[in-house]
Amino acid sequence: MRKSLRLLALLAVMALFAAACSSDDASDSADATEPAAAETTQAASDATEVMLTQSDCDNTYHVITHGDSGTFWSVVEVAVRDAAEATGCEVVYFGANNDAQAQSQAIEGAIADGSAGIAISLADPTGLEAAARAVVAAGIPLYTLNSGVNQYKDLGGVTHIGQTEVVAGNGAGERFNALGASHVLCARQEQSNVGLDERCQGLAETFNGQVTSEFIGLDATPDEQQATIAALLTADSSIDGVLGTGPNVPLRALDAASDAGRTLIIGGFDLSGDLISAIEAGDIAFTVDQQQYLQGYLPVILMHLQATNQNTAGGGLPILTGPGFVTPDNAAEVAALVDAGTR
């Protein structure tokens, strides 16, 4: 399945290159909902793989994530493409759409292909542990990005590029304290992503009031998200704040609050044009910015430096890309960069 995906993606990219003669072409990717265990085969076919090919380098690097083609991961993919152009190397990007089996198969394929460096996200550490250890056993440098800050050392990774999710959640909790909330719903858009659990954990550590953590549906099902949040608000009138653990959930919370006739303090994680607009308008209080462009760009650069110049970075510690915060005070400056696809 992976080879078929790779061939299809490569043919698509070659067609784009022939039409435009540019390495800035957008990649083909597929939107799909998170599969149940019985739907793993179908989920694998919904994954995204893009071959980003340059001609000035003999090495091939792989960036293999659990991501989809949505708002967040599209920026990561842009960054990977930019890093491929900067290094002049071939880089394969694969987004598994939250399917650990498909992600593991892609990692195994990268090992078989003789990759010079493999960067992976570890949203499901248990599901990916065997494949991650196989990278190191094969003598290939392993990097983690986005999720995996607590696991990369044990797995033998060189470093992690991302934010410490608990610390990011801590910062969100402090902001809800300052804004006067008393009961915050931590609304998660994925069930098996340990990073989202850690965001809610961090919120609970610093928030002075009550925290309720709930899975409210996938980003691919926005109506379900909105309806689930509205139902939770109706069932518990004490909820006066919502922290969405992604960039789309805060917007669904805003609509759900309107449906339920409630006024809420709403915060989020990550960036999108619509979210920034809502922050500028004062409808959403803040979002946590983990700068995902860096999470796509830096692993490729670091893998290339290690392969060609024996450089390593981090000193055994993670390389943090966040958290930062976007509020009404700085939303306008960030908005233009979001529109450009780099934030």
Side-chain angles (χ1 to χ4, degrees), residues 27 68-79 81 93 292 341:
S27 62
D68 53 22
S69 57
T71 302
F72 181 91
W73 289 101
S74 63
V75 175
V76 175
E77 192 173 328
V78 166
R81 182 180 296 106
Y93 176 82
Q292 71 267 34

Side-chain angles (χ1 to χ4, degrees), residues 51 53 71 85 92 117 128 143 150 163 237 247 269 276 297 301 331 333 339:
M51 184 76 73
T53 306
T71 302
E85 183 173 358
V92 179
L128 294 173
Y143 287 75
N150 296 319
Q163 71 180 0
S237 61
F269 274 81
I276 295 300
Y297 192 86
I301 300 300
E333 288 83 357
D339 291 341

Side-chain angles (χ1 to χ4, degrees), residues 199-286:
R199 291 174 179 181
C200 293
Q201 175 191 335
L203 169 68
E205 287 179 356
T206 57
F207 181 56
N208 294 332
Q210 181 180 351
V211 172
T212 298
S213 177
E214 294 283 353
F215 169 66
I216 49 83
L218 298 169
D219 281 340
T221 57
D223 291 342
E224 177 188 353
Q225 288 185 340
Q226 181 177 332
T228 302
I229 296 172
L232 291 166
L233 295 176
T234 301
D236 192 338
S237 61
S238 70
I239 296 174
D240 57 1
V242 175
L243 177 65
T245 57
N248 298 315
V249 178
L251 299 169
R252 305 294 84 80
L254 190 61
D255 293 336
S258 178
D259 292 345
R262 300 277 287 278
T263 299
L264 300 175
I265 300 168
I266 301 174
F269 274 81
D270 306 322
L271 306 179
S272 74
D274 289 341
L275 179 56
I276 295 300
S277 295
I279 293 173
E280 283 190 274
D283 297 325
I284 292 176
F286 67 89

